[in-house]
Amino acid sequence: MKRGICGLIGRIAIGCLLASPVFASSGVVTLQVDNDGMVSSDDDHYTSGVELLWTQPVTPQHWSQRIAGGWFGSVDVLSYHLSYRMYTPEEVERRDLIEDDRPYAGLILGGLALYGREPLRGAWHREDALQLDIGVVGPMTSADSVQREVHRFTNSQRPRGWSHQLGNEPILNVGYRRHWWHNLSLGWLEMQHGPGLSAALGNLLVQAGGGYGLRLGRGLDNSMGWPSLSIERGGYRQVSTSPGSGWNLFAALQGRYVAHNLLLDGNTVRDSHSVDRRELVGDAVVGVALTWERWEMSLAHIWRSKEFEEQDGGTVHGALSLSYRL
């Protein structure tokens, strides 16, 4: 029954999104897949995720401009997203509660993000992003059933500990990112580099951090965003702003102070499994993005430092995204 209800909810949500007026105009649809199996044989911590995005440019009269007014100058691009993610401890075949490893958790998030770009003096420009996420964590996501079916199909070890997963809890989170880019010309190549700041507030995640990003390639101004990592989003994210061909190599280092992470601290208003969260967490990402005609593809390799005290070491996973311009 639980699987049937969640499946129906998922189909309704996707159907409403696809039938909404935003799809009546031109834009870019993106499918992103994150999985530790891309770069590692482990199946632990952040184990897998999938995300669907719809991105479109907006006019100066668009309703989103009223929201952005208090945060940054104007909105250039609007993005809707729907994601599904799973988190597990290392020894998924154990039935007992593994007290010194992270809780089992399934997470569904949907929402929107507003992106803006503003030229600054000299060769600098600024990019801003304001993101809203709503969703749910817990058995409602049916992550236990999904992982068992995937492992049965791949003939992997059977996960047996989902009875200890986090309980159902609605999610509401707001995030804000600002990045400053310095534009350079290296012969026939373009380069952008610069620092960025980010913050998030909500019952899923409370954090603040900063980092430094680099892009090297051609057609860099056809996209916005940078290698931005957070708990609920596994890999590299960028959004298209205009058609055009190009490619770029990207890299970033980020550090953040984490004051709250529901996926490690446990449920907010009920007893659940939790671990001793680390307050300082670091990330590194390298990858490549390609754009040709209506298609875009990016592949990223992500490293993350230990997130809780009992963790044996850092984690790695890959992120693959494929986009098509309608």
Side-chain angles (χ1 to χ4, degrees), residues 87-89 101-105 164-166 262-266 273-275:
Y87 303 80
T88 66
D101 208 340
R102 71 176 304 142
Y104 284 85
H164 306 292
Q165 69 177 302
L166 298 181
L262 184 147
L263 301 173
L264 299 174
D265 294 328
H273 180 208
S274 64
V275 290

Side-chain angles (χ1 to χ4, degrees), residues 211-322:
Y212 205 90
L214 170 71
R215 298 173 179 150
L216 178 67
R218 298 281 296 173
L220 301 184
D221 284 335
N222 292 332
S223 62
M224 294 178 60
W226 69 309
S228 182
L229 297 154
S230 63
I231 299 301
E232 75 281 4
R233 197 163 316 293
Y236 176 76
R237 162 180 280 202
Q238 66 176 6
V239 296
S240 298
T241 58
S242 59
S245 298
W247 63 272
N248 70 84
L249 304 175
F250 56 84
L253 292 174
Q254 297 179 51
R256 60 182 186 270
Y257 172 80
V258 183
H260 171 71
N261 179 355
L262 184 147
L263 301 173
L264 299 174
D265 294 328
N267 288 111
T268 307
V269 295
R270 66 167 72 187
D271 292 333
S272 66
H273 180 208
S274 64
V275 290
D276 296 325
R277 169 183 40 81
R278 283 197 166 192
E279 294 183 340
L280 298 178
V281 179
D283 296 306
V285 57
V286 296
V288 59
L290 305 172
T291 304
W292 70 101
E293 297 181 353
R294 293 177 176 268
W295 293 94
E296 295 181 22
M297 182 183 71
S298 70
L299 179 65
H301 191 132
I302 298 99
W303 294 266
R304 175 163 295 161
S305 69
K306 293 172 62 173
E307 296 182 82
F308 56 95
E309 296 298 334
E310 300 87 347
Q311 191 172 347
D312 292 336
T315 58
V316 297
H317 68 276
L320 173 67
S321 69
L322 184 65

Side-chain angles (χ1 to χ4, degrees), residues 87-135:
Y87 303 80
T88 66
E90 290 188 38
E91 301 176 89
V92 295
E93 74 280 1
R94 288 175 53 176
R95 295 182 183 273
D96 60 312
L97 175 63
I98 309 174
E99 295 185 359
D100 60 353
D101 208 340
R102 71 176 304 142
Y104 284 85
L107 178 66
I108 294 177
L109 289 177
L112 59 86
L114 311 178
Y115 297 86
R117 173 186 284 154
E118 183 175 342
L120 303 175
R121 284 188 292 182
W124 287 87
H125 74 272
R126 190 186 74 207
E127 294 180 355
D128 297 272
L130 176 64
Q131 181 172 315
L132 171 67
D133 286 293
I134 58 174

Side-chain angles (χ1 to χ4, degrees), residues 22-23 25-30 52-58 76-81 113 115 222 224 237-242 296 323-326:
V22 301
F23 277 82
S25 58
S26 62
V28 179
V29 60
T30 300
L52 179 67
L53 301 99
W54 169 259
T55 304
Q56 65 175 120
V58 299
D76 298 304
V77 178
L78 172 67
S79 177
Y80 297 91
H81 57 268
Y115 297 86
N222 292 332
M224 294 178 60
R237 162 180 280 202
Q238 66 176 6
V239 296
S240 298
T241 58
S242 59
E296 295 181 22
S323 302
Y324 182 76
R325 183 178 300 277
L326 300 177

Side-chain angles (χ1 to χ4, degrees), residues 33-39 46 234-235 299-302 316-320:
V33 178
D34 311 322
N35 198 290
D36 52 5
M38 293 182 184
V39 292
Y46 173 66
L299 179 65
H301 191 132
I302 298 99
V316 297
H317 68 276
L320 173 67

